[in-house]
Amino acid sequence: MEGKDVISGSAFADIISGSRRTVLAVHTHPDGDAIGCGTGLLHFIREVLGKRAVLAVPDAIPDNLLFLLEGLGDSVLVHDSRPEETEKAIAEADLIIGMDISGFDRTGPLKSFLHSSKARKILIDHHLNPDTDAFDVAFSDTEVSSSCELLYRILSDTVQIHGDASLLPLPAATALMTGMTTDTNNFANSVFPGTLRMASDLLSSGVDREMIIDNVYHAYRENRIRLLGFLLYDRLGITPSGAAYMVLTRKEMEDFGISEAETEGFVNIPLSIGKVKISIFLREEDGFFRVSVRSKKGISANALAMKYFNGGGHELAAGGKLFLSEEIRSGKNAEDYVVRVTGEYLEGR
Ligand code: 5GP
Ligand code: MN
């Protein structure tokens, strides 16, 4: 683990115990890892340390992750629905813990409040190029499956847990297992020896993996699967150099009655085609296209996202945004851009 200030799990727990108002903050469009490590740490703070804390989430939490909020009530604040309370909690915090973010730039509407806060700041993250200057203490490691795995390691290193996963409150253990499961795509990628040790420890301590899988992967609405079918049949393009791409416009989302969170996971599917080396999914938002990139070993999704899509992430899973001026903002022009830059990227390597 590298960091500007390396501290033990116990020292981390002591900092929380010694703080009056702790706020945990995660990234926009929160995924299983963000909500998993956020709620997992929240349970630890409440049930093990006996302290209160708030989890600040920039925007809506996908329906398939809502089971992780059970019992947490008002200690989870979503900025979209409760902006004033969320901003007030950040303004009053004396400890801020950024989780599953490479920096506060990933927190959308929370960014300016987090940046300007004078609170002590701790980072727990597994992305490339973390903005460690913005934090007093940084737990940063890219050789883990997820922020949940990194948090598991930190909590295991506290005097309270002391390497015994059965001492974690069950909801915390469930949350950590959930985030690790979604960030590894259910053990398909980014699995390290420590990932399987963690899975084994958490299973032994009573985590119900079937329940997690049912909530996360078996509870979609029919519309999502119909839309996926349409995109794969009618829209999927594959370039000669092995880039697969799909562009989803707002009009199509409306036609299928689909929300933004329901397209999660679409980008992974074209990678199952042998000749595809990189898969790119674009979804139109207000004034830009949100971009998801996934690649196979040897091709950097992170470098492509940084170079062409104002983003970044991990070596094989990254994201960003594509801005096209209003006059030329169309699904077709977005496709043309993707075809051009992936050609340049894959052939110019
Ligand atoms: P997803 O495609 O699932 O939205 O994101 C994949 C990975 O890329 C995640 O680890 C996420 O943190 C990162 N990512 C997504 N969007 C952005 C972005 O706009 N900027 C940066 N730096 N990373 C992003
Ligand atoms: Mn993550």
Side-chain angles (χ1 to χ4, degrees), residues 31 33 100 126-127 146-147 183 314:
D31 57 4
D33 194 27
D100 201 34
H126 70 130
H127 291 90
S146 53
S147 298
D183 255 29
H314 311 282

Side-chain angles (χ1 to χ4, degrees), residues 27-29 31 33 100-103 105-106 125-129 183 264-265 267-268 281 283 288 290-294 301-302 305-306 309-314 316-321:
H27 57 80
T28 55
H29 299 276
D31 57 4
D33 194 27
D100 201 34
I101 51 173
S102 48
D105 285 355
R106 297 279 294 117
D125 180 57
H126 70 130
H127 291 90
L128 295 162
N129 313 314
D183 255 29
E264 169 87 33
V267 66
N268 296 308
F281 177 68
R283 176 168 52 70
F288 63 93
R290 180 164 295 282
V291 183
S292 282
V293 186
R294 300 292 184 272
N302 176 61
M306 280 175 62
F309 297 111
N310 307 288
H314 311 282
L316 305 182
K321 292 175 179 173

Side-chain angles (χ1 to χ4, degrees), residues 17 20 26 81 108 116 136 227 246 281 290 294 296 300 318:
S17 293
R20 283 181 306 111
V26 298
S81 32
S116 62
D136 301 294
L227 171 63
M246 297 188 279
F281 177 68
R290 180 164 295 282
R294 300 292 184 272
K296 285 180 183 163
S300 173

Side-chain angles (χ1 to χ4, degrees), residues 210-235:
E210 276 87 32
M211 180 276 284
I212 294 173
I213 298 297
D214 276 347
N215 273 289
V216 174
Y217 296 118
H218 296 164
Y220 293 123
R221 294 186 312 134
E222 181 182 344
N223 303 31
R224 175 187 188 270
I225 307 302
R226 300 271 177 207
L227 171 63
L228 176 60
F230 162 75
L231 287 172
L232 294 175
Y233 182 74
D234 204 59
R235 286 301 156 86

Side-chain angles (χ1 to χ4, degrees), residues 276-349:
V276 168
K277 297 179 185 142
I278 194 158
S279 170
I280 303 178
F281 177 68
L282 285 82
R283 176 168 52 70
E284 189 180 5
E285 280 193 24
D286 211 2
F288 63 93
F289 289 87
R290 180 164 295 282
V291 183
S292 282
V293 186
R294 300 292 184 272
S295 58
K296 285 180 183 163
K297 209 173 158 80
I299 311 269
S300 173
N302 176 61
L304 181 99
M306 280 175 62
K307 186 161 181 199
Y308 299 108
F309 297 111
N310 307 288
H314 311 282
E315 197 56 15
L316 305 182
K321 292 175 179 173
L322 170 61
F323 298 94
L324 296 176
S325 61
E326 203 174 336
E327 314 81 70
I328 61 158
R329 196 180 311 127
S330 67
K332 175 76 176 69
N333 283 335
E335 279 185 13
D336 289 349
Y337 179 84
V338 170
V339 170
R340 182 167 66 73
V341 304
T342 53
E344 190 178 301
Y345 184 68
L346 292 172
E347 280 145 36
R349 285 181 321 122

